[in-house]
Amino acid sequence: MAREYLKRARPQARPDDAETTRIVSQMLDRIEHEGEAATREYSQQLDNWSPESFIVSQDEILAAGKTLPETLKDDIAFAQRQVREFAKAQADSMQALEYESYPGLIVGQKHIPVSAAGCYIPAGRFAHLASAAMSIGTAKAAGVPQVTACSAPQGGRGIHPATLYAMDQAGADTILSLGGAHAIGAMAFGHFTGKPAVVLAGPGNRFVAEAKRLLYGRVGIDVVAGPTEALIIADDSADPWLVAVDLVSQAEHGFESQVILISTDRALAQRVIELMPKALALLDEQSAAPRAWDDLGEVVVVDSREEAAELSDEYANEHLHVQARDLDWWLDNLHNYGSLFLGEETTVSYGDKASGPNHILPTRFAARYTGGLWAGKFLKTVTYQRMTQDASVHVGRIAARISRAEGMEGHALAGDVRVQKYRPNEPLNTHTEPIS
């Protein structure tokens, strides 16, 4: 494959993952064994926040809503409806089933919502209104009866009013003004609510991500999210200005956010590089986008769309946007991505904010084996079976013979006793030579 890199990412020093693990592991151990007092101590130490109650009251939620313009409330309502309806459609697509697999043997499956979920809404430099819909709204659409949601206090004033309003509108049953790894621990261990989360969802910084990773197994998690990734595939039909702006829009997530352009047209790729300073100049001086582009941005030219698809699958990016001809071909031939955006009319920013499919997505090559957060993450797919006596005798003899071949006599006896009960006048016919 011919690949010409017009721009490559600079080598980056890796964060100290071992130190992050040590810090978060110690925090979770204290939070589990010392209880709410440890959570309160971490909140005071890390966020200078120790209210009388971490549970946000209805009065506080109502007060937050009164500070917001009606147009913003309408926009939040639209975005949340899009996310909720898409998640509900996902849940509805997971059909229960039941069939007779052998005469008298009925097997089936059903889907049961988990009993409680914990949803983390990130704070920091941005008010993440959309993340409330993505995690809380999806959990409620799946039928989770208890959703606890956390977001970090801002400047000693509690959760950002717009974020708080969005969390409430998304359907959170309890909202805690907590952030960071200690918020993840509090939800996992049921602090302040008495209802430990069974599944944890929502993006956050490396400490939040590590807390979820360390708790995985005791609870379910959505994904271990890393910095934002966005990849655009463009051919000579693409608008270079739209491509440049779309790259900038994702680079602004943070200094570690990587944006990539793969193009089958060298002139288009070169023009996008030329336009990037103009697009970056539209952002304020504090934006992370210029540094993210300088340090991590990549532009690659390939000879064909087949090569572009192959390279894209190697990157396995979180967000993948195609601005090229014959969109159905790309839909059929791209395989590794968190979420796919087809055509210039859509953009990753739409997915981040309002269009419907979830924006909590796999990063760091995880799109090779998983998708992002969806309604199914909050549902347990469980199986069941029942039998007639005739079926029990037939399967019992087979199961007993297999068990004895394996050397598992106890398993075999479970079949024997049923054959003896239901067919007392027939030979067992359940003995066989063990595997040597």
Side-chain angles (χ1 to χ4, degrees), residues 18 46 57 84 125 128 192 272 276 290 299 309 322 329 334 377 387 419 426 434:
L46 298 173
S57 69
R84 182 173 58 251
R125 292 181 297 120
H128 291 271
F192 312 110
V272 171
M276 285 300 288
V299 178
V322 177
W329 185 91
L334 291 165
K377 183 63 68 173
M387 297 186 188
V419 174
E426 295 181 7

Side-chain angles (χ1 to χ4, degrees), residues 23-347:
I23 292 170
V24 175
S25 179
Q26 182 182 66
M27 291 178 69
L28 292 176
D29 184 68
R30 285 196 60 202
I31 289 167
E32 179 179 12
H33 293 101
E34 298 177 27
E36 294 175 2
T39 300
R40 181 174 291 276
E41 181 181 325
Y42 281 123
S43 180
Q44 176 63 50
Q45 174 187 335
L46 298 173
D47 294 321
N48 194 29
W49 180 249
S50 185
E52 183 176 340
S53 174
F54 287 102
I55 298 177
V56 180
S57 69
Q58 280 300 309
D59 287 344
E60 292 173 291
I61 293 170
L62 290 172
K66 291 177 181 178
T67 68
L68 306 181
E70 291 302 317
T71 52
L72 179 56
K73 292 181 182 180
D74 291 342
D75 291 340
I76 290 172
F78 173 84
Q80 294 200 348
R81 184 170 62 251
Q82 291 295 111
V83 173
R84 182 173 58 251
E85 290 181 356
F86 187 79
K88 182 64 166 57
Q90 288 181 316
D92 290 344
S93 74
M94 300 175 64
Q95 299 298 313
L97 64 86
E98 181 179 281
Y99 69 98
E100 191 173 37
S101 63
Y102 177 84
L105 170 52
I106 305 298
V107 294
Q109 73 174 24
K110 60 185 294 189
H111 309 289
I112 304 173
V114 299
S115 59
C119 296
Y120 187 83
I121 315 303
R125 292 181 297 120
F126 305 110
H128 291 271
L129 313 184
S131 287
M134 302 295 173
S135 55
I136 301 167
T138 300
K140 296 307 288 186
V144 179
Q146 170 63 34
V147 176
T148 300
C150 286
S151 192
Q154 300 291 289
R157 297 187 301 274
I159 298 171
H160 188 287
T163 301
L164 178 57
Y165 176 83
M167 294 167 75
D168 178 65
Q169 292 297 300
D173 297 288
T174 306
I175 299 174
L176 301 178
S177 55
L178 279 171
H182 49 293
I184 298 298
M187 291 190 289
F189 302 125
H191 290 183
F192 312 110
T193 65
K195 298 176 180 178
V198 178
V199 171
L200 294 169
N205 63 22
R206 61 191 173 100
F207 297 100
V208 168
E210 182 64 8
K212 289 164 60 181
R213 189 187 70 82
L214 290 172
L215 288 165
Y216 177 64
R218 300 181 59 166
V219 299
I221 64 172
D222 49 1
V223 293
V224 180
T228 292
E229 303 166 350
L231 189 153
I232 295 176
I233 298 174
D235 64 13
D236 62 349
S237 70
D239 181 333
W241 177 239
L242 291 186
V243 173
V245 170
D246 286 343
L247 292 171
V248 167
S249 73
Q250 294 305 299
E252 80 168 340
H253 276 281
F255 298 127
E256 297 178 329
S257 299
Q258 183 171 44
V259 294
I260 299 163
L261 170 62
I262 300 174
S263 181
T264 55
D265 184 69
R266 194 179 193 283
L268 179 282
Q270 189 61 53
R271 182 58 180 154
V272 171
I273 292 174
E274 293 169 358
L275 288 170
M276 285 300 288
K278 178 182 176 182
L280 290 165
L282 297 174
L283 305 182
D284 64 57
E285 294 180 355
Q286 304 304 313
S287 175
R291 177 173 155 188
W293 169 249
D294 287 345
D295 289 349
L296 297 173
E298 293 196 340
V299 178
V300 195
V301 178
V302 295
D303 290 336
S304 67
R305 65 183 186 177
E306 289 79 12
E307 292 173 349
E310 182 178 339
L311 180 55
S312 174
D313 281 349
E314 290 178 21
Y315 276 110
N317 246 225
E318 177 186 17
H319 306 99
L320 175 55
H321 188 180
V322 177
Q323 300 185 37
R325 297 181 182 86
D326 195 2
L327 297 177
D328 287 340
W329 185 91
W330 295 99
L331 180 61
D332 291 341
N333 288 277
L334 291 165
H335 308 291
N336 297 344
Y337 52 83
S339 191
L340 178 61
F341 300 77
L342 293 163
E344 71 167 37
E345 295 81 6
T346 188
T347 177

